[in-house]
Amino acid sequence: MPKRIQKILISNFRGATSQVDLDFDPAKNTILLFGENGSGKSTITDAIDFVCNGNFGSIKDRSSVRPNKHLQSLNAPMTSLKVSMVFDDKKWDATFDGTQAKIIGPAQRPLARILRRSSILALVTEEPRDRYKSLKAFIEVPGMEKCESALREAVKNTEKKLEEATRAVEQSERDLQLLWEAEGKPGKTALSWAKSETAKDISDLNTSLTNITATILSLECLSSPIITLTEAQLSLASAKKELDDINKKAEETDKKEARIERDVPLVEILQKTQDYLNVHPQLEKCLVCEQIVPASQLIQQLKVRLETMKEVADLKKDIEQAEKSIVLSEAKLVDACAALKEKIIAVLDFCQKSSISVIKNNGDWVSLQSEEKTIDSKNPNAVKKFAEKIKIQVSKCADTLELEKSSVQKSINHMNAIRNHVRSITENKESLTDLHEQAKRLKEILKVVETQRKFYVEEILNSISKTVDEIYKKVHPDEGLGGLSFFLKATTQGSLEFTGKFQNATDIPPQAYYSESHLDTLGISVFLALARYFEDQNSIVVLDDVITSVDEAHTTRLMQMFHDEAAHFNQLIITTHFKPWRNRYCYSLGPVGHIQLIELLPWNILRGITHTKTKICVDDLRAKLQEEPLQRQHLSSQSGILLECILDHLALMYGCKLPRKPEIQYTLGELLGGIDSKLRKALKTSVIDSVLKTPIKETALEPVILKINEITWVRNMVGCHWNIAGLGISDQDVKDLVHATLELADLLICPECGELPRGKKEGIYRKCSCGARRLLPLEMPV
């Protein structure tokens, strides 16, 4: 048996505010979930998507909807969300961690291919690139597309490097030309001249530059120690001035040195006494004279006295600090003077020994050395004055050396510029050769990959084009539509185009001419064709409310198309709010025996999603016939409705004559009258052997039709109108009407597929979907 979903349990997932248990019949490959809008159809399909594919379902495409807030049911905690599914006797449990689905179960989960209304709109109305994206779940080749994108990026980067290398060569050649022209164009070409220049050794220039730089630094070494000496002199002067200012303040406040010397020790004693009393506040007499004085009073007296003597102590500290500053400044001045003297000796020695002509010719260094020996090293002013004299002398040498340094540096820069341009030209030309070859090979590889991907995708598109057209024409035969062809736009990556036929025009865009309903069925046909192409034993197909409203003829053909396509899939699940579709199954106008009907009841937040089994009219009549007391009105009315459905079906197939009316609504009597005597005598049903495919039993319909014709008044009296006479009709008469109705239904409705024989002509008869029940004749007898 094909692998199918057997059971789904949904708790606190979207509309499932209470647990939903759905049991699917594994013997039937088609499930029809019918429910009015807002009954929970999308919740069920989203739950299948969640557990099978790990997706958030229909809400992922809606703006302002966040799964971490809206995936769980209203007012339910995220931890309570759970979806369980049994597929091929294996179970999976899916929960939500706030970012993604957490699924526990066998490694290989079933794949749910889900078509929603939004997907149809994207396929038939969006731009080609977005149209391609809507089919990527089927036709994408992740590894190939990733490789193709990487190759395309590599080509782009290589071409960029190629452009950069070309520009670098051109720029270096222009710069080299200017240098060559500035030199008077020596040699044959700028490049040949440059190469000869780069062969020259510039080590002598570099050595000369190094020596000149070191010489200048040696000559300029007097500046810093002169500044240091000047700062030391200023610091000493400042310290002496500060001491003079403090002494003047002491004299002005009559604080003579003798008093300061006397009072400072006393201040220290009083401070220690105050500290002692603060620690022992319970004392009640003086510590010296033992007079009765509370500690608090002593503390207050000490505080007043210390404040009056504070200025004396502060002056003492300021004088001591100023004296220390003078001593420190004098020591720094001595050190600065000695350091400057050492630098003077070093500079004079360097200049006297130097072989540089600029230095040798710009100073009598021997005389200056002799003069240096006469300078008192303890006299800062003398040392500083002599240093300034030396500095002026060496500055003349340094200025000349700076000019020489600049000239040497210019020569070095010139040579380096030539070398850099030659190197740039050489290296980039070599790189150009490699990059040209690399770009060529990458483009060739990209072309192969791109061709193979397009070939793969177009092979799929070519394959499904025929299938799409086949499916589409089942719904729209002889309407001048179809001829559908899907293809990739040649010059664009991931761009899907399609054309079709409209009347006599071919290769036209369907969006321009097809109606909305025709475009809807086109989208469904494409989806089913792709699903059929990629069908495997672990996949199921789900159509989530994709049909809005269609006319009667298209509804019949659409139902048949779905049943034909269901044979290609393990399981086809369809949800719809289209009531005429559901009613057709109820009255056996579709192969209800091959489909499981589940009906969703109105939703509310307390009970959540609830469901029931859809009642088939024939089964409902049989069940109600056994109930006591007999539901006379219901049985009469329901029998009449079923009879009208069957007779209307016969009238449409055979083109029976009926009264012309403003509204096409016929009574039971009019429909019975439409079956004339010739057709009535010719009508027969055959039961077919499932193995031999030959008739087993043939039954004429005339007797039961006549019986019904004689008893239809019961329906009118009991099931349609209230009247006194109707109350006197016996229960047996009602039962006779029901039995006659069921007899006709049993003769026409196939017990295998549950469908009336339809207009599908086969030889000399019409048959049901499975072929187990035939109806003769083929046409209205003449």
Side-chain angles (χ1 to χ4, degrees):
M1 179 178 289
K3 297 179 181 180
R4 293 169 181 165
I5 296 176
Q6 298 156 276
K7 189 179 185 66
I8 299 176
L9 286 83
I10 311 171
S11 297
N12 290 322
F13 178 89
R14 300 203 62 206
T17 52
S18 61
Q19 182 167 300
V20 183
D21 294 357
L22 282 169
D23 292 305
F24 292 166
D25 185 352
K28 296 182 178 180
N29 71 335
T30 306
I31 312 294
L32 182 70
L33 278 163
F34 168 79
E36 301 288 352
N37 289 328
S39 58
K41 300 185 296 298
S42 292
T43 291
I44 294 170
T45 55
D46 286 352
I48 293 173
D49 198 6
F50 187 67
V51 71
C52 290
N53 307 327
N55 294 333
F56 300 138
S58 57
I59 68 170
K60 70 179 181 180
D61 299 324
R62 298 176 185 173
S63 60
S64 304
V65 175
R66 290 181 289 173
N68 63 341
K69 289 187 174 293
H70 305 116
L71 196 62
Q72 63 268 31
S73 298
L74 191 65
N75 300 326
M78 187 185 300
T79 53
S80 66
L81 182 155
K82 184 178 181 181
V83 178
S84 299
M85 185 180 76
V86 178
F87 176 88
D88 190 35
D89 295 326
K90 300 180 184 67
K91 185 181 179 184
W92 287 265
D93 294 316
T95 55
F96 186 50
D97 66 359
T99 56
Q100 62 183 352
K102 294 292 184 180
I103 303 167
I104 299 173
Q108 186 176 15
R109 302 195 304 271
L111 173 65
R113 302 194 184 278
I114 300 175
L115 178 66
R116 298 182 175 87
R117 176 73 182 161
S118 58
S119 300
I120 294 177
L121 293 174
L123 177 63
V124 298
T125 63
E126 294 292 344
E127 292 294 324
R129 180 173 291 276
D130 294 325
R131 188 183 302 141
Y132 180 83
K133 289 179 182 177
S134 69
L135 296 185
K136 284 191 72 173
F138 287 102
I139 62 178
E140 73 173 341
V141 192
M144 185 72 78
E145 289 191 357
K146 186 176 180 181
C147 176
E148 186 178 333
S149 296
L151 280 170
R152 188 169 280 103
E153 187 65 24
V155 169
K156 182 180 176 182
N157 290 336
T158 303
E159 289 180 339
K160 183 179 178 181
K161 290 178 181 177
L162 198 57
E163 291 175 2
E164 290 173 351
T166 302
R167 285 197 300 270
V169 169
E170 292 173 350
Q171 183 63 48
S172 293
E173 287 177 341
R174 283 195 299 270
D175 292 342
L176 199 58
Q177 183 74 16
L178 293 174
L179 291 174
W180 181 54
E181 291 174 356
E183 292 292 324
K185 296 184 178 181
K188 294 182 178 180
T189 65
L191 186 59
S192 62
W193 165 76
K195 287 182 177 180
S196 64
E197 288 294 304
T198 56
K200 295 178 180 179
D201 187 4
I202 63 169
S203 58
D204 290 343
L205 288 174
N206 286 322
T207 302
S208 176
L209 180 65
T210 303
N211 291 336
I212 291 172
T213 302
T215 301
I216 292 171
L217 290 174
S218 298
L219 294 177
E220 291 178 348
C221 67
L222 289 175
S223 297
S224 179
I226 289 174
I227 293 172
T228 303
L229 178 62
T230 302
E231 290 175 348
Q233 287 177 314
L234 293 173
S235 178
L236 178 60
S238 176
K240 288 180 177 180
K241 183 177 183 303
E242 185 178 359
L243 179 59
D244 289 342
D245 292 342
I246 294 170
N247 287 328
K248 286 179 182 179
K249 184 178 179 181
E251 292 173 359
E252 289 171 0
T253 54
D254 198 25
K255 302 295 187 294
K256 301 298 182 184
E257 186 175 347
R259 183 174 176 185
I260 292 173
E261 293 295 332
R262 182 194 67 205
D263 289 351
V264 167
L266 178 59
V267 169
E268 293 176 359
I269 293 171
L270 294 177
Q271 182 64 57
K272 290 180 180 180
T273 303
Q274 184 184 47
D275 294 341
Y276 180 84
L277 291 174
N278 285 331
V279 176
H280 302 89
Q282 71 278 10
L283 295 176
E284 295 183 355
K285 59 182 179 179
C286 177
L287 294 171
V288 179
C289 64
E290 294 188 346
Q291 292 185 22
I292 303 301
V293 181
S296 59
Q297 185 176 342
L298 287 173
I299 291 171
Q300 185 61 32
Q301 290 176 353
L302 283 169
K303 181 178 178 182
V304 172
R305 187 150 182 207
L306 283 170
E307 286 179 355
T308 60
M309 300 181 70
K310 182 175 183 303
E311 189 175 4
V312 176
D314 290 344
L315 283 171
K316 175 65 174 177
K317 290 180 180 179
D318 291 344
I319 291 170
E320 290 176 351
Q321 185 63 41
E323 290 173 346
K324 289 180 181 179
S325 295
I326 290 172
V327 172
L328 181 61
S329 296
E330 287 174 343
K332 288 182 177 180
L333 181 60
V334 170
D335 292 340
C337 192
L340 180 57
K341 187 71 179 295
E342 288 180 5
K343 288 294 181 182
I344 291 171
I345 294 171
V347 169
L348 290 175
D349 186 58
F350 175 81
C351 291
Q352 195 274 328
K353 296 178 180 179
S354 178
S355 60
I356 298 173
S357 59
V358 172
I359 298 175
K360 292 176 67 176
N361 299 330
N362 283 278
D364 187 357
W365 307 112
V366 176
S367 298
L368 289 171
Q369 280 182 320
S370 300
E371 186 180 349
E372 180 273 326
K373 293 177 182 178
T374 64
I375 303 300
D376 184 3
S377 60
K378 294 182 181 180
N379 185 342
N381 290 326
V383 173
K384 181 179 176 183
K385 184 178 179 180
F386 186 69
E388 293 287 355
K389 179 180 178 180
I390 300 299
K391 184 179 177 183
I392 292 171
Q393 192 68 26
V394 298
S395 293
K396 297 176 182 177
C397 301
D399 291 342
T400 304
L401 288 172
E402 283 288 353
L403 293 174
E404 188 176 342
K405 175 184 175 183
S406 177
S407 176
V408 173
Q409 184 66 64
K410 184 177 179 181
S411 298
I412 291 172
N413 292 343
H414 180 74
M415 294 297 293
N416 285 336
I418 295 172
R419 288 174 183 273
N420 290 337
H421 292 320
V422 171
R423 182 169 56 251
S424 174
I425 292 170
T426 304
E427 291 177 355
N428 282 302
K429 281 187 174 180
E430 291 175 358
S431 179
L432 281 173
T433 303
D434 294 339
L435 289 170
H436 273 298
E437 184 64 25
Q438 183 179 342
K440 178 183 175 183
R441 291 183 179 180
L442 285 171
K443 286 178 181 178
E444 289 173 351
I445 296 170
L446 175 61
K447 186 176 180 180
V448 171
V449 173
E450 189 177 48
T451 302
Q452 289 302 313
R453 177 187 61 80
K454 287 186 175 181
F455 176 78
Y456 169 78
V457 173
E458 287 187 341
E459 188 177 29
I460 296 172
L461 295 176
N462 290 336
S463 177
I464 70 161
S465 291
K466 183 178 178 181
T467 307
V468 171
D469 202 49
E470 170 195 324
I471 296 171
Y472 194 66
K473 286 181 177 178
K474 287 182 180 180
V475 185
H476 304 286
D478 306 320
E479 294 184 24
L481 306 175
L484 298 160
S485 177
F486 294 81
F487 55 91
L488 293 177
K489 193 172 182 179
T491 57
T492 308
Q493 183 184 11
S495 182
L496 177 65
E497 301 280 0
F498 66 93
T499 60
K501 172 186 174 185
F502 183 74
Q503 301 307 315
N504 295 325
T506 58
D507 296 331
I508 54 94
Q511 305 94 319
Y513 297 93
Y514 288 16
S515 70
E516 185 175 351
S517 178
H518 286 98
L519 289 173
D520 283 352
T521 51
L522 173 57
I524 295 169
S525 300
V526 173
F527 176 82
L528 291 174
L530 282 167
R532 191 203 291 190
Y533 186 91
F534 290 99
E535 174 66 10
D536 61 37
Q537 61 180 351
N538 287 305
S539 64
I540 60 171
V541 176
V542 182
L543 304 177
D544 184 17
D545 218 0
V546 295
I547 299 299
T548 52
S549 61
V550 292
D551 57 33
E552 185 174 352
H554 284 93
T555 299
T556 302
R557 293 197 291 265
L558 195 64
M559 287 174 62
Q560 184 58 49
M561 181 272 285
F562 281 136
H563 285 289
D564 290 346
E565 289 305 304
H568 297 286
F569 306 124
N570 297 317
Q571 192 172 41
L572 176 63
I573 300 173
I574 305 170
T575 73
T576 184
H577 70 278
F578 189 45
K579 188 166 286 187
W581 197 356
R582 169 255 195 195
N583 291 343
R584 281 176 169 269
Y585 287 116
C586 291
Y587 292 99
S588 301
L589 295 176
V592 69
H594 294 165
I595 189 169
Q596 180 184 3
L597 298 177
I598 299 174
E599 192 161 338
L600 301 181
L601 302 175
W603 180 93
N604 65 56
I605 195 168
L606 294 178
R607 70 179 186 178
I609 299 171
T610 53
H611 60 89
T612 185
K613 181 181 178 182
T614 300
K615 294 178 180 178
I616 307 303
C617 185
V618 173
D619 297 337
D620 191 38
L621 273 178
R622 292 189 204 281
K624 290 289 191 296
L625 194 59
Q626 304 303 318
E627 293 179 0
E628 293 182 351
L630 195 71
Q631 298 182 31
R632 294 159 49 87
Q633 187 178 22
H634 176 81
L635 285 169
S636 300
S637 175
Q638 192 73 1
S639 294
I641 293 172
L642 180 57
L643 283 171
E644 287 177 351
C645 176
I646 293 172
L647 295 172
D648 183 72
H649 179 68
L650 293 173
L652 284 170
M653 281 199 300
Y654 291 104
C656 296
K657 296 177 181 179
L658 294 167
R660 183 175 179 182
K661 303 171 70 173
E663 295 182 4
I664 306 176
Q665 294 178 352
Y666 299 103
T667 65
L668 181 56
E670 290 170 340
L671 289 167
L672 281 167
I675 301 176
D676 62 19
S677 60
K678 290 182 180 180
L679 178 59
R680 191 169 61 242
K681 291 180 183 297
L683 285 172
K684 297 176 183 179
T685 60
S686 296
V687 178
I688 306 302
D689 185 280
S690 60
V691 178
L692 300 176
K693 304 299 180 182
T694 56
I696 299 173
K697 179 182 178 183
E698 191 172 88
T699 306
L701 296 184
E702 185 179 27
V704 69
I705 292 174
L706 292 173
K707 186 191 300 183
I708 290 169
N709 197 32
E710 292 173 358
I711 203 169
T712 53
W713 60 271
V714 174
R715 184 268 187 128
N716 294 333
M717 299 291 287
V718 179
C720 291
H721 312 289
W722 185 88
N723 54 66
I724 296 296
L727 297 176
I729 295 173
S730 69
D731 286 355
Q732 187 58 48
D733 288 334
V734 174
K735 289 181 179 181
D736 289 343
L737 173 64
V738 177
H739 284 303
T741 302
L742 291 173
E743 185 180 355
L744 179 63
D746 289 342
L747 286 172
L748 286 169
I749 298 171
C750 175
E752 298 296 327
C753 66
E755 184 182 29
L756 287 162
R758 293 180 290 117
K760 189 174 183 181
K761 301 175 183 179
E762 186 91 15
I764 59 171
Y765 55 82
R766 300 169 188 267
K767 66 176 185 177
C768 63
S769 292
C770 68
R773 188 62 51 99
R774 295 176 182 175
L775 176 65
L776 289 85
L778 182 64
E779 303 289 350
M780 173 73 79
V782 180

